[in-house]
């Protein structure tokens, strides 16, 4: 079961409706232009409208013979009109999607055409806050790591790639730990891209941004909790740079709530941090550390800042 964000689906449906409206307007203009140039087309249009009204009256009276006569007349006029339009260069109006007929739904479910657009919109929106084009499994280079840690880093790379390829709502919670510049965010974004392509609703952001947004809503006059609901219910939540946020009692409680609730709901979370388990325990209490140890796959990144090496290589 794949779930795209309601926002992306709504935008995709709006784009579909707008495209259909524009296509309809162009088609109507072509029809009107053809009728202006050929009076016979206009005559047929008038006749067909009259037949439509007569058919309704005949149906109410139950006059079967009259109904058949009117239908035959309508078919003949429609065929004549079709030929005249062809000669005028007016093509039949075509659907963008022949599966759903441009309704966006098939059997009450979203059509694949809407899902495809929604995925692209989700990727585009995510690209606004993260370097999607720069972070992929294809450009993750193990050679930047010291020889003595290449084996372990290669294992983390393979784990991440498998995680992305097989991602589902039942996937593991993951804690990426290690110093800055070792590829935690890079692999997280690579996973995010694959999850979005599969149609999952992904929420990503630095801890400071995510937590402050919830805190701002919590203490606002409206008292809304939209941001918290998004964090708790996303198919995949990725919290980057945990430990860099401004710590308050509210944030400490909020973080535990997010971690614990998502575990209870069975929704996977990926967390990136420069902190050790001991530092996490000291900063967020032992309850959080316990959740990580018991419920998360912990992957420790080793080596030296590869971003510096990449700059030096250039």
């Amino acid at each position: 079961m794949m779930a795209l964000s309601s926002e992306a689906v709504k935008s995709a449906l709006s784009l579909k409706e707008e495209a259909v409206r524009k296509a309809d307007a162009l088609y109507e203009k072509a029809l009107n232009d053809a009728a202006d140039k050929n009076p016979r087309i206009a005559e047929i249009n008038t006749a067909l409208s009259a037949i439509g009204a007569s058919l309704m009256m005949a149906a109410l009276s139950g006059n079967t013979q009259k109904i058949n006569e009117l239908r035959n007349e309508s078919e003949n006029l429609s065929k004549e009109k079709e030929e005249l339009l062809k000669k005028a260069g007016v093509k039949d109006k075509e659907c963008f999607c022949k599966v759903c007929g441009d309704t966006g739904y098939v059997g009450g479910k979203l059509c694949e055409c809407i899902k495809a657009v929604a995925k692209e919109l989700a990727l585009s929106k995510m690209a606004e806050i993260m370097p999607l084009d720069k972070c992929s499994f294809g450009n993750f280079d193990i050679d930047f790591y010291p020889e003595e840690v290449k084996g372990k880093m290669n294992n983390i790379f393979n784990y991440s790639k498998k995680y992305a390829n097989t991602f589902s709502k039942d996937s593991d919670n993951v804690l990426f730990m290690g110093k800055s510049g070792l590829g935690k965010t890079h692999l997280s974004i690579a996973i995010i891209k694959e999850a979005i392509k599969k149609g999952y609703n992904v929420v990503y952001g630095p801890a400071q941004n995510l937590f402050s947004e919830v805190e701002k809503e919590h203490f606002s006059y409206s008292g809304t909790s939209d941001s918290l609901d998004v964090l708790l219910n996303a198919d995949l939540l990725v919290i980057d740079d945990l430990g860099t946020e401004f710590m308050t009692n509210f944030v400490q409680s909020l973080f535990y709530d997010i971690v614990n609730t998502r575990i209870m709901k069975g929704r996977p979370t990926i967390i990136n941090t420069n902190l050790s388990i001991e530092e996490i325990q000291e900063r967020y209490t032992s309850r959080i550390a316990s959740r990580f140890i018991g419920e998360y796959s912990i992957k420790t990144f080793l080596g030296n800042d590869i971003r510096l090496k990449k700059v030096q290589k250039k």
Side-chain angles (χ1 to χ4, degrees):
M1 177 68 178
M2 295 184 293
L4 289 157
S5 71
S6 59
E7 182 183 353
V9 170
K10 184 178 179 180
S11 296
L13 287 169
S14 294
L15 287 174
K16 165 75 78 175
E17 290 171 4
E18 181 63 21
V20 170
R21 277 197 298 271
K22 287 182 178 179
D24 285 345
L26 289 173
Y27 183 65
E28 286 301 317
K29 185 178 184 304
L31 290 178
N32 292 332
D33 289 346
D36 289 341
K37 293 176 182 178
N38 189 335
R40 177 55 184 163
I41 295 176
E43 290 174 7
I44 292 174
N45 287 338
T46 302
L48 286 172
S49 295
I51 289 172
S54 298
L55 267 171
M56 183 176 65
M57 297 303 295
L60 290 172
S61 65
N63 191 335
T64 305
Q65 182 179 349
K66 185 64 173 177
I67 291 173
N68 290 333
E69 289 175 358
L70 289 169
R71 283 177 174 169
N72 288 333
E73 186 180 355
S74 177
E75 288 177 7
N76 291 332
L77 286 172
S78 295
K79 287 179 181 178
E80 182 184 353
K81 178 183 175 181
E82 187 179 338
E83 290 300 319
L84 291 173
L85 289 175
K86 281 183 180 179
K87 289 179 182 178
V90 180
K91 298 179 181 179
D92 291 338
K93 187 173 68 171
E94 295 185 6
C95 292
F96 294 107
C97 178
K98 290 181 170 48
V99 178
C100 69
D102 287 339
T103 64
Y105 293 90
V106 179
K109 297 181 179 180
L110 278 178
C111 181
E112 290 301 320
C113 69
I114 295 297
K115 291 181 181 179
V117 174
K119 291 173 191 175
E120 290 302 317
L121 290 173
L123 282 169
S124 297
K125 184 175 181 180
M126 201 65 77
E128 295 174 4
I129 59 174
M130 67 172 79
L132 287 179
D133 57 330
K134 297 179 181 179
C135 299
S136 68
F137 291 114
N139 62 14
F140 188 84
D141 194 347
I142 293 294
D143 288 337
F144 280 109
Y145 294 91
E147 202 64 40
E148 61 271 19
V149 304
K150 278 185 180 179
K152 182 161 187 177
M153 289 309 303
N154 194 54
N155 289 339
I156 292 176
F157 169 77
N158 289 332
Y159 170 86
S160 301
K161 196 170 183 180
K162 183 178 179 180
Y163 185 94
N165 291 336
T166 61
F167 180 81
S168 74
K169 289 184 179 179
D170 297 322
S171 291
D172 292 342
N173 298 303
V174 183
L175 179 63
F176 284 155
M177 303 176 66
K179 298 176 184 177
S180 298
L182 295 181
K184 300 185 297 296
T185 299
H186 187 122
L187 289 181
S188 295
I189 291 176
I191 290 171
I192 287 171
K193 288 166 68 174
E194 295 305 312
I196 290 176
K197 288 176 183 177
K198 291 174 183 287
Y200 289 100
N201 176 20
V202 181
V203 174
Y204 162 90
Q208 175 61 34
N209 295 1
L210 297 178
F211 297 163
S212 63
E213 185 63 29
V214 176
E215 189 170 23
K216 182 172 67 176
E217 282 186 4
H218 179 79
F219 290 107
S220 69
Y221 288 111
S222 64
T224 59
S225 59
D226 293 345
S227 295
L228 179 58
D229 288 342
V230 168
L231 298 184
L232 296 180
N233 295 304
D235 295 332
L236 173 62
L237 171 64
V238 181
I239 302 176
D240 206 6
D241 289 331
L242 180 72
T244 60
E245 72 283 353
F246 181 71
M247 180 55 69
T248 64
N249 289 335
F250 177 83
V251 168
Q252 189 177 70
S253 175
L254 169 66
F255 182 47
Y256 178 80
D257 185 30
I258 292 171
V259 170
N260 194 56
T261 300
R262 289 186 62 82
I263 289 173
M264 297 298 290
K265 288 189 173 188
R267 298 186 184 277
T269 305
I270 296 175
I271 297 175
N272 301 329
T273 183
N274 300 344
L275 303 175
S276 65
I277 287 292
E278 292 75 17
E279 289 170 328
I280 288 172
Q281 180 173 327
E282 182 179 343
R283 184 177 174 86
Y284 303 101
T285 76
S286 58
R287 291 192 304 168
I288 283 287
S290 176
R291 289 294 186 275
F292 285 159
I293 293 171
E295 302 290 345
Y296 276 63
S297 293
I298 300 176
K299 305 297 176 183
T300 303
F301 286 60
L302 302 172
N304 302 313
D305 194 330
I306 61 174
R307 288 178 298 201
L308 294 175
K309 292 186 176 182
K310 287 180 179 179
V311 171
Q312 293 168 354
K313 187 176 181 180
K314 292 179 182 179

